[in-house]
Amino acid sequence: MADRFVTVSLDKRAVRCTAKLLDDRAPVTCAAVWEALPLGSDVYHAKYARNEIYALFPAFAAEEPPLENPTVTPIPGDLCYFTFSDTELGTSSYGYDEKAVRGRRTVVDLALFYERNNLLINGDMGWIPGIVWGTVVDGLDRMAEACQDLWRAGAIGETLSFRRE
């Protein structure tokens, strides 16, 4: 199979990077994401994991991928896939609006890690392993700057998008 790539962008900030799918390490997850593209939704900056931005989506795979190529210590440039139930994310402590999680039995979190020293542990749920399905191969420096700006200036009105390249 030829290498496949996605563009990951912060649309309002007009910043993007290119990531290579890890088809050899996470084939089921890569296939599910690839078939669902393009995807875009409100962006959030992590509270717990540190240097992470992510967007929440309704489930898009016929069956959720198994925990392939898992990590609890993502590195800069990792794209991760997480699955949650609406009740896991539905408490007010997470700060999501109703449309982000309510009424969705399964919520998919697609995340980009842009800097070092991340640890996927949550005070409510403990360890949260993610599936590493892609790695940024171009533009991580520009994206990291935009992510820091998102952290300091806010995420309101910003969209995180994933598109086939």
Side-chain angles (χ1 to χ4, degrees):
M1 173 184 282
D3 289 342
R4 297 188 291 179
F5 297 88
V6 295
T7 298
V8 181
S9 61
L10 288 169
D11 298 331
K12 182 178 170 185
R13 285 170 171 80
V15 177
R16 67 185 200 106
C17 60
T18 302
K20 178 181 179 273
L21 272 65
L22 300 177
D23 286 301
D24 58 330
R25 296 182 186 176
V28 176
T29 307
C30 288
V33 172
W34 187 258
E35 290 305 312
L37 296 177
L39 292 166
S41 189
D42 292 343
V43 68
Y44 298 93
H45 196 288
K47 287 183 179 182
Y48 302 105
R50 291 194 65 177
N51 303 299
E52 170 195 9
I53 62 169
Y54 62 97
L56 303 175
F57 302 95
F60 47 76
E63 186 175 315
E64 284 306 305
L67 189 58
E68 53 186 1
N69 199 30
T71 190
V72 292
T73 56
I75 62 173
D78 277 352
L79 297 181
C80 289
Y81 182 108
F82 303 90
T83 303
F84 299 100
S85 72
D86 63 343
T87 56
E88 288 174 314
L89 299 181
T91 66
S92 61
S93 65
Y94 291 104
Y96 301 122
D97 62 15
E98 290 289 314
K99 71 178 182 156
V101 296
R102 289 286 180 213
R104 297 181 183 177
R105 291 183 60 111
T106 302
V107 179
V108 173
D109 169 337
L110 294 182
L112 164 68
F113 290 84
Y114 63 89
E115 187 51 79
R116 298 172 40 133
N117 299 320
N118 303 294
L119 187 60
L120 300 179
I121 191 164
N122 176 297
D124 296 333
M125 294 184 270
W127 294 104
I128 309 291
I131 301 168
V132 182
W133 60 274
T135 187
V136 174
V137 295
D138 183 51
L140 184 59
D141 54 344
R142 294 181 308 273
M143 184 60 80
E145 287 177 21
C147 292
Q148 283 294 328
D149 180 64
L150 186 117
W151 172 250
R152 296 186 43 82
I156 294 175
E158 182 63 86
T159 301
L160 179 62
S161 295
F162 299 84
R163 295 178 183 85
R164 292 181 186 184
E165 214 170 80

